[in-house]
Structures are given as structure tokens and as C-alpha cells.
Amino acid sequence: MQDPSIASFTATPATITSGQSSILSWSVSGVTSMNISYGNGTLTGSNTVPLSSTSVAVTPTATTTYTLTATNQAGKSTTATISVTVVDKPVINSFTANPPVISDRQSTTLSWSVTGATGLTINNGVGDVTGSNSVTVSPSATTTYQLVATNATGNGPSTAAVIALVTVTVVPTPVITNFAATPSTISNGQSSTLSWAVSGATSLSIDNGIGDVTTKPSVSVSPTTTTTYTLTANNTVGSFTATATAQTTVTFSVLVVPTITSFSSDRPSVGPNGSVMLTAVFDPGAGGGTATVDHGVGTIVSGTPLPSGNLSASTTFTLTVTNVDGKSATAQVRVLAGTLSVFAGVPSVPGNSDGTGASASFSLPRGLAVDTAQNLFVADTNNNIVRKATIPAAVVTTLIDNSTGLPAQFNGPYSVAVDTSGNVYVADTNNDTIDEITPAGVLTILAGTPGTNGSNDSPGALFDGPQGIAVDTSGNVYVTDTNNDTIRMITPAGVVSTLAGVAGAPGKGDSPAHFNFPTGLAIDASGNLYVGDSGNHTIRKITTPAGVVSTLAGAAGLRGSTDGTGGAARFNNPGAVAVDPSGNIYVADVNNYTIRRISPAGVVVTIIGTPTVPTGNPGGPLPGRLSIVHGIAADPSVNGNLYITMQNAVFTAPY
């Protein structure tokens, strides 16, 4: 008769946490009965295990040794043992953030008390914190942190893990984009106006006895000594306040200093040899003085309009007020003079012919860019090509076509930008890509996948209907990813990131920043970006590389055609934007059928077109007539021209 034999007796897993099960498995031969015992007991229900079984589940509450006894018909038996180790789950006694509410420029300390853990991790970039009981974090937005404690079971970390959560609330710091005193120097009896531009603040105050100015855009002060004023902007959420400050100084002079309240023209633009009325409001101070306007205008009296004389070209007039003490103050106003005329193409005739001036043809051209060599690049949208025109001869050629052996891959190219090396970048809207054309005519896809839209950053970057494009002096390319409501950045190495906005979350806030169908994009000499935020009817400014967003002009959700300063101005679906060498911003105010100019101080004026009055025959003496404007570019030469796309042609006007 065969002796009983136990070939194997195992537990899987051999180490568990309280409440888990382990599978006891065996392989026997020559056996007529079996039982499994542990300590003073046997398995629940019976100490007999059917011969047909090869395993059984056990759930011990403490470390247990199991004995398998196998017996044959003659009563001869043999045994084998296996132990199942039971360990306790970790215990997270506490997980806190101190302080639990911070500003976006502060840090907080995450602290915890944990027992029975062999490993600790925290999400959101913190990582492994085993062996520590605290860590400092600096989230830029409200963040929930998850502490995961694990022990060393044989079943993998997830089976012996416990989790605790703590939320750090981040209150955005207000952004002060401007705080200035005008004039900055005064004398006895004179006043200065303190004005500011602030976003993301729930309250504003100024020291030196001024107090709360939350509901005011400016305040007048008359210090008798040189005084530095501090503007404090608070953003209060619950009991926590995030604070930003800015300072400006009003210098007090014992000598009388003239003050200029305003210097304006009754019209910002006129036709050739047109004239305007100039009006200045000023105070030379006690003892009087003189006030003159250059370019032959002569002496001007405060508050009394004075004719400019006929203007043969755009002119910047300078008002100089000088008092008896020899102190002077100046102010300027620019008046455009000339004609809005066709540069190349025929407005009513679509086509794709190269040629000079009116012998060339386009089909619904949109974006424009001018390089330092006086070449104008045009996104010829319905022709799916990029064109090049010389300035001022208007010789139009096709940058890439099938005859070169390099067929264009474009599908509705919307805008173009050109860098200092002559590389042309294209927002290829319907392909959802950003393309690059080298000076040698080589076309490559810089970022995105043709025909695949999305909002992914690198790797595998995707775009959704990009429309605006700009490039800085370092070769970074910026894109209005229109359907994603974001502004994207592409490094010279092709790495794509989201600079501002939240994909799929249109909105109007500055901090955190949201956009609503952004279209036009331009960059100034300092690397500041300007966005035609079409759906919000505003012009937004983004400082780089920080990505701080502010509203330069217009009021979100309020459309109109009013000129004014900053938030007092109104737009109606602004699109393309451009910047001249002096820092003036030009805006294609699409549904107002106008071109607007924004000074570096945020003053908005309408320079071309008549608000809300479109025409099928654009052109004429300034202010001229406009139809829907698709693109705009400023010649980088000082006192150059604006280039504008309408219908099937490129127009030009002085700026």
C-alpha cells in the first residue's frame, strides 16, 4: 500500500493585511483523508478537507501556522505546515496644511502623523516622502494633496494602502498693471491725478490720508512736499487676503510747474491736405507763461480750438507750455493724413495670379506680416498658399507652390509671422498645425498633427483651429489656439506649452486667466503679447515669460464702438492686432468695420472707418471706408504704413 505523500503545501499570498484572504494550496498522493488545523482549532465548519479539493481560502486575524495532515487507508499519516503572516494596515493619524489658505506667491507646510507604514507618497509633484513628517509646497492654484501610506505586504502596495486628503486653497494675488501720477511734478496750489489699472482685487486703498478707492478709477492729490503714494490691492476670500502694492511719487517743486490737463484733435485722421482743430487745456501757473504748438500752428490759448492748417502727411503735434520760471511741460497728439488705398489685388475679383499691384490677385487673404527687409507676407486663405509682396513696389509672388516641387500643404492658413532670420510661421487653421517656411523655401510642420485637433502640450502637442501667430526675438512662437480658448507657446526646439487660458473653459478673468475665442495676436519690442479676445470684446495683454494676463482695453461682455481709456472703451468682436515701433497697438474691430489705435497709456481712438457702417467699396481719404477687416500689420519703419486685408485685396494706409 502506498504511503501518504504531500508534494507541496503553500499559501498565496503568504503575507496579508487584516481582513484579507490567503489561498492555501496543496498537492498530495496516496491519501484517503486530509485535514488542516491551526493552534487549538481547525478550519471553520470541519477539520476535514475533501480529497477532490486542491485549495481553500483562509482569513486569519493574526499570524497563523496551518498544519495539513494527510492519512491513507491504513491509518498512516504525514504532515506539512505553512504560515500566513498578518500585518496591520498603516494608520494616518493626521494630514494637515499650515496655513491651509495662501496667496499664489506663498508656501504652506504639509504635515502628517502615520504609524505602521513602510512607504509614503504625496501626489501633484511632491513624490516620495518616506522618512519625513512634513514638506513645503507652493501651489499656484487651489490644490488637493493626497497622502498614500503603504506597508510591506506581499500583495503589492495597493492592497495595504490608506489615503488621506488635504486641500490648500490659493487666493490669486491682484495684478497692478499701472499706477501713475499725472503730472508727476507740481508746485504750490497745483494738483496731480493718481490713476491705476488693477485686476483681480476686491478692495483698493492708498496711503497718506487718501484711504479706500475701490470704486474709483483715479483720485486728485495736492501734496505740499514730495510724496510717495502706495497703492494696496487686496483680494479677500473668506478670512484670507492676498495683497499686491505699487508706488508712484509726486514731486513738489518750489518753482511753478505748468500742468497740461489735455491736448487733443477733433479728428484722429483726415484725407490729404485736410485740417483738424487742436484743443489744449493747461495751466502755466502763477505769473502766466506761453503755450505753442509746433508744425507752424503757433500760440494756443487754453480751452480754445486752433486749426492745424493743411496736412500733407501724418503729423505728431507737440504742445509746449512754458511759465515765467522757465519751467515747461509738453504733450503730444498724432493726426493721420492720407488715403486708404489698394496696395495689391482687386477687392472684387478673387484669383491666385502673381504680378504687380492690381495685376496680382488673392482669394480672401487674411493674416499679414512685414519683415525688416520690407517684404510683406500674406496668408492667402482660400488659395491655401502664402504670398510675398515687396514694399513699396507691390511685386507679388507665391512663396511656395507646386512648380517648385514643394507642394503647399496648407488648409485655410489664417495668419503669418516672420522672425529676424526670415523664417515664416503659419497658423494653418483647418489643418490644426503650425508650419514653418525657411528662407530657402523648405516647408515643415513645427507643431501639431494635420487633421487631428486637441489641446495636448508636448509631447504629442495638438491644436484646435489656431488663428493668430507671433514670434519673438528669441525664436519662440506664440499662437492663439482659438477653439481651445488658450494662448500656446512653441520653443525653438518645438516644445509646446499652454502660456495662458484653460482649454475648453472660455471665460473673461485675468487671474486665473480665461479667454473667449481669441483670434488676433501681436508682440511688441519688449516681448509683451496683445490678444484680440474676440468673444469678450476686449484687448488682452500678456507679459512673457511669466504669462501674466491683464485686460488692456474694453470691458468683457460689453460690445460697442466707444473711444476712451482702458475699460471705458468698447469693441465689437476685435480680431487682428498689430504693434508699431512706438508701442501703439492697432486693432481690426471686425463688427464695427473700423481700425482702432491704442496708445501705450491705453487710450483708444478710431483712426480708420466709421463705426458700424460697412461698405462694399472700401478705400478713400481718411478716415476712409471699410468692409470686414481680416488682417492688419504695421510696417516696422518709423512713420510707415499699415497693411490691411479686406475682400480679395491688400490695402494700405499711413499710421
Side-chain angles (χ1 to χ4, degrees):
M1 180 178 293
Q2 181 182 356
D3 289 340
S5 173
I6 301 175
S8 64
F9 184 37
T10 60
T12 306
T15 302
I16 62 173
T17 59
S18 180
Q20 292 182 318
S21 297
S22 177
I23 303 298
L24 306 184
S25 304
W26 54 86
S27 175
V28 299
S29 60
V31 174
T32 58
S33 66
M34 294 184 296
N35 73 353
I36 297 175
S37 62
Y38 58 96
N40 296 322
T42 58
L43 293 185
T44 302
S46 173
N47 66 354
T48 300
V49 178
L51 289 174
S52 60
S53 300
T54 58
S55 64
V56 68
V58 294
T59 309
T61 59
T63 298
T64 301
T65 298
Y66 294 91
T67 300
L68 172 65
T69 301
T71 306
N72 67 6
Q73 190 172 11
K76 190 173 183 180
S77 63
T78 185
T79 61
T81 60
I82 188 70
S83 292
V84 176
T85 301
V86 178
V87 297
D88 290 331
K89 283 187 177 182
V91 176
I92 300 178
N93 302 303
S94 63
F95 183 36
T96 60
N98 187 24
V101 183
I102 61 172
S103 75
D104 50 10
R105 300 174 186 175
Q106 293 180 323
S107 298
T108 186
T109 299
L110 306 181
S111 303
W112 54 87
S113 172
V114 180
T115 56
T118 57
L120 296 173
T121 59
I122 298 176
N123 65 341
N124 289 309
V126 179
D128 182 58
V129 292
T130 304
S132 303
N133 56 18
S134 66
V135 67
T136 298
V137 294
S138 303
S140 59
T142 297
T143 302
T144 297
Y145 292 93
Q146 175 179 275
L147 174 66
V148 179
T150 58
N151 67 7
T153 69
N155 233 6
S158 65
T159 63
V162 291
I163 296 172
L165 304 174
V166 67
T167 297
V168 178
T169 301
V170 178
V171 178
T173 302
V175 177
I176 301 174
T177 54
N178 179 59
F179 182 42
T182 306
S184 59
T185 301
I186 63 172
S187 58
N188 189 38
Q190 293 182 325
S191 299
S192 176
T193 298
L194 306 182
S195 58
W196 50 87
V198 181
S199 60
T202 56
S203 64
L204 299 172
S205 64
I206 299 176
D207 61 354
N208 291 306
I210 297 176
D212 182 74
V213 292
T214 303
T215 60
K216 300 177 181 179
S218 62
V219 67
S220 180
V221 295
S222 302
T224 56
T225 61
T226 296
T227 304
T228 296
Y229 293 91
T230 299
L231 172 67
T232 300
N234 292 321
N235 182 21
T236 301
V237 177
S239 61
F240 184 84
T241 299
T243 300
T245 61
Q247 292 185 322
T248 190
T249 298
V250 178
T251 301
F252 183 84
S253 173
V254 293
L255 296 175
V256 175
V257 179
T259 58
I260 299 175
T261 302
S262 64
F263 181 40
S264 60
S265 164
D266 65 335
R267 290 181 291 169
S269 59
V270 294
N273 298 312
S275 178
V276 298
M277 299 299 291
L278 302 172
T279 303
V281 178
F282 56 88
D283 178 10
T290 61
T292 59
V293 178
D294 61 357
H295 296 291
V297 176
T299 302
I300 191 169
V301 176
S302 179
T304 302
L306 186 67
S308 66
N310 294 338
L311 302 178
S312 60
S314 298
T315 304
T316 299
F317 293 97
T318 300
L319 165 70
T320 302
V321 181
T322 305
N323 65 16
V324 293
D325 292 322
K327 295 292 183 179
S328 63
T330 62
Q332 291 185 323
V333 63
R334 183 166 178 80
V335 179
L336 306 186
T339 301
L340 173 66
S341 58
V342 176
F343 174 74
V346 179
S348 60
V349 180
N352 61 1
S353 300
D354 290 340
T356 301
S359 66
S361 60
F362 302 85
S363 183
L364 200 65
R366 285 193 168 97
L368 301 159
V370 184
D371 67 11
T372 55
Q374 296 289 279
N375 295 303
L376 174 69
F377 298 92
V378 184
D380 195 358
T381 304
N382 279 8
N383 280 325
N384 295 312
I385 54 178
V386 174
R387 314 291 288 280
K388 176 182 176 181
T390 59
I391 297 173
V395 177
V396 178
T397 57
T398 299
L399 202 58
I400 292 181
D401 62 20
N402 290 329
S403 66
T404 65
L406 295 169
Q409 303 293 317
F410 305 118
N411 185 3
Y414 205 98
S415 60
V416 290
V418 59
D419 67 15
T420 54
S421 300
N423 298 295
V424 177
Y425 301 91
V426 184
D428 197 4
T429 303
N430 293 342
N431 270 333
D432 302 305
T433 60
I434 306 303
D435 302 336
E436 178 181 4
I437 306 170
T438 68
V442 177
L443 172 66
T444 58
I445 295 174
L446 181 65
T449 300
T452 302
N453 57 34
S455 60
N456 299 357
D457 288 337
S458 291
L462 296 175
F463 298 83
D464 192 354
Q467 289 194 16
I469 193 166
V471 59
D472 67 18
T473 55
S474 299
N476 297 298
V477 177
Y478 302 91
V479 180
T480 55
D481 196 3
T482 304
N483 292 343
N484 278 325
D485 302 302
T486 56
I487 311 301
R488 313 289 290 281
M489 173 180 171
I490 310 170
T491 69
V495 178
V496 178
S497 60
T498 299
L499 178 68
V502 179
K508 61 184 180 181
D510 287 338
S511 179
H514 291 268
F515 298 86
N516 187 358
F517 206 75
T519 53
L521 188 65
I523 192 166
D524 67 14
S526 300
N528 299 302
L529 292 170
Y530 300 93
V531 182
D533 195 4
S534 180
N536 278 326
H537 312 294
T538 55
I539 306 303
R540 313 289 289 279
K541 178 180 178 180
I542 307 174
T543 60
T544 60
V548 176
V549 177
S550 58
T551 298
L552 179 67
L558 300 178
R559 68 179 72 200
S561 59
T562 307
D563 289 341
T565 300
R570 296 289 180 267
F571 298 86
N572 193 349
N573 295 112
V577 290
V579 183
D580 72 15
S582 300
N584 296 294
I585 301 136
Y586 300 88
V587 181
D589 197 2
V590 177
N591 286 349
N592 276 328
Y593 309 101
T594 55
I595 303 294
R596 317 286 291 279
R597 182 181 66 206
I598 308 174
S599 73
V603 179
V604 180
V605 295
T606 301
I607 60 171
I608 303 176
T610 302
T612 70
V613 181
T615 179
N617 183 28
L622 293 180
R625 305 175 305 273
L626 297 177
S627 56
I628 291 178
V629 176
H630 296 295
I632 186 170
D635 186 332
S637 62
V638 177
N639 295 328
N641 290 321
L642 291 176
Y643 294 91
I644 302 161
T645 51
M646 290 183 289
Q647 298 180 1
N648 300 298
V650 179
F651 290 73
T652 186
Y655 68 70

